[in-house]
């Protein structure tokens, strides 16, 4: 029942729902971030949290040291206890990146959140405020090392990579794993249609797609259309994208419902970054 219209930070999203959480009287609270792709057994993380007698447990993953400055980095001692937290450090001391997945003892966190709500100088953020405050207070914070597939999809390149990973037969995130099924929302749509002259090589083609041209090493979401003679190479087409006749799309991520005109050329095979196409591309009229 907050008067605020928006959440001011990641911790504020919990603070504004304290009454709701209190209804359940939890001993522990699991907090998940939404812009990552992974699969994890949270029961194992909770068991380790209890075994370590920690007040907060933070899931971490080892990242290449050259990329560590993009993340919140946890520096630990030999027992796995977190002794220092650095937000996007210029010169990282370790490569243990926070995954934005936390387990807190609810009573401890609740007190911190109530104080944080009243602090006008706070960002109301777990990484910037709550975790540093816990370290200052001497609370025991433990780093839970996650092994497995994890992708931070906060950039266009990483979102593209996550889709391309699905096409890799060695990908750890296996959509076909019968023991851990991953479901997607079904939509009311016709089946995909593959035309008589279409060519498809290594691709996910979702329902409602109409393919008349060539699709190679790409992921096509619901209702994407590829015209005759058009080529989709190393690309991701979001729902409703229309690529007209003869157009070529290479190493690109095309946003929902964008139309790429006849014989237009988008992206490049040798570009360093993925081309984001967020508005209509005119072709030959």
């Amino acid at each position: 029942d907050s008067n605020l219209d928006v959440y001011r930070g990641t911790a504020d999203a919990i603070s504004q729902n304290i009454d709701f959480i209190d209804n359940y009287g939890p001993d522990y609270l699991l907090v998940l971030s939404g812009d990552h792709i992974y699969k994890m057994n949270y029961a194992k993380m909770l068991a380790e949290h209890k075994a370590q007698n920690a007040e907060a447990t933070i899931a971490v993953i080892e990242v290449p040291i050259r990329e560590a400055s993009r993340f919140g980095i946890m520096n630990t001692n030999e027992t796995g206890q977190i002794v220092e937290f650095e937000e996007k450090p210029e010169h990282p001391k370790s490569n243990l990146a926070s995954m934005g997945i936390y387990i807190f003892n609810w009573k401890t966190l609740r007190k911190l959140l109530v104080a944080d709500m009243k602090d006008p100088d706070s960002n109301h953020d777990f990484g910037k405020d709550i975790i540093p405050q816990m370290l200052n207070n001497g609370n025991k914070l433990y780093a839970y090392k996650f092994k497995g597939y994890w992708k931070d999809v906060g950039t266009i390149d990483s979102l593209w990579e996550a889709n391309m990973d699905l096409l890799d037969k060695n990908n750890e995130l296996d959509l076909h794993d019968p023991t851990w099924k991953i479901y997607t929302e079904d939509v009311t749509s016709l089946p995909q249609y593959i035309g008589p002259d279409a060519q498809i090589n290594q691709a996910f083609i979702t329902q409602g797609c109409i393919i008349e041209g060539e699709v190679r090493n790409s992921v096509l979401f619901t209702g994407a259309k590829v015209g005759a003679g058009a080529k989709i190479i190393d690309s991701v087409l979001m729902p409703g994208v229309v690529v007209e006749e003869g157009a070529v799309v290479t190493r690109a991520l095309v946003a929902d419902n964008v139309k790429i005109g006849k014989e237009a050329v988008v992206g490049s095979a040798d570009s360093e970054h993925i081309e984001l196409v967020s508005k209509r591309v005119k072709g030959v009229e």
Side-chain angles (χ1 to χ4, degrees):
D1 297 327
S2 171
N3 295 321
L4 296 170
D5 294 326
V6 294
Y7 294 133
R8 298 169 294 178
T10 55
D12 200 42
I14 309 298
S15 302
Q16 290 196 44
N17 292 288
I18 282 177
D19 291 347
F20 173 78
I21 296 165
D22 278 341
N23 287 336
Y24 293 89
D27 293 320
Y28 308 101
L29 188 74
L30 171 67
V31 179
L32 309 175
S33 293
D35 59 350
H36 305 159
I37 295 173
Y38 64 95
K39 60 183 184 183
M40 178 191 285
N41 184 341
Y42 303 121
K44 285 185 179 177
M45 184 175 171
L46 178 59
E48 202 150 325
H49 174 82
K50 292 178 181 177
Q52 293 293 330
N53 197 28
E55 288 169 278
T57 294
I58 299 168
V60 296
I61 193 160
E62 293 185 11
V63 296
I65 197 72
R66 66 182 181 277
E67 293 180 23
S69 57
R70 286 179 48 214
F71 301 99
I73 296 297
M74 302 292 166
N75 299 321
T76 60
N77 63 19
E78 62 281 353
T79 66
Q81 187 171 335
I82 297 165
V83 293
E84 185 184 22
F85 170 70
E86 294 183 289
E87 180 66 47
K88 297 182 180 176
E90 193 175 340
H91 304 290
K93 296 173 191 170
S94 83
N95 67 336
L96 295 179
S98 169
M99 296 172 67
I101 299 169
Y102 316 107
I103 292 177
F104 293 101
N105 290 357
W106 174 235
K107 285 181 182 175
T108 303
L109 178 62
R110 194 186 190 286
K111 287 175 188 170
L112 287 162
L113 292 176
V114 169
D116 179 76
M117 287 177 84
K118 298 170 186 171
D119 182 356
D121 298 322
S122 176
N123 295 287
H124 312 292
D125 186 85
F126 282 115
K128 292 175 184 171
D129 305 290
I130 300 298
I131 292 167
Q133 184 63 51
M134 293 187 83
L135 284 169
N136 287 339
N137 292 353
N139 295 127
K140 186 178 180 186
L141 274 67
Y142 177 73
Y144 174 75
K145 286 188 180 178
F146 173 70
K147 305 286 185 190
Y149 182 89
W150 179 74
K151 184 75 74 174
D152 169 14
V153 289
T155 67
I156 296 303
D157 283 31
S158 60
L159 180 57
W160 176 88
E161 285 170 11
N163 280 279
M164 292 296 109
D165 286 346
L166 297 177
L167 298 169
D168 183 353
K169 65 179 185 297
N170 297 316
N171 182 28
E172 293 173 87
L173 189 71
D174 180 9
L175 293 183
H176 306 287
D177 182 354
T179 66
W180 195 319
K181 292 183 179 180
I182 298 174
Y183 295 98
T184 188
E185 182 184 11
D186 198 13
V187 294
T188 305
S189 176
L190 291 169
Q192 55 184 241
Y193 170 75
I194 312 299
D197 299 318
Q199 297 179 49
I200 298 175
N201 186 354
Q202 192 156 340
F204 273 116
I205 312 286
T206 317
Q207 66 200 72
C209 288
I210 297 175
I211 314 297
E212 304 275 8
E214 181 181 349
V215 177
R216 198 159 73 231
N217 197 50
S218 294
V219 175
L220 277 59
F221 283 74
T222 309
K225 295 178 176 60
V226 179
K231 293 184 178 181
I232 312 299
I233 303 161
D234 300 332
S235 293
V236 179
L237 306 187
M238 301 305 279
V241 168
V242 175
V243 181
E244 296 190 335
E245 293 174 27
V248 180
V249 179
T250 309
R251 275 176 63 78
L253 191 149
V254 186
D256 298 41
N257 300 314
V258 165
K259 182 179 275 190
I260 294 175
K262 191 175 178 182
E263 294 180 32
V265 176
V266 171
S268 166
D270 53 10
S271 62
E272 183 184 352
H273 291 289
I274 300 308
E275 180 92 9
L276 171 64
V277 186
S278 57
K279 53 188 177 184
R280 180 173 180 169
V281 178
K282 284 192 176 180
V284 176
E285 297 294 333

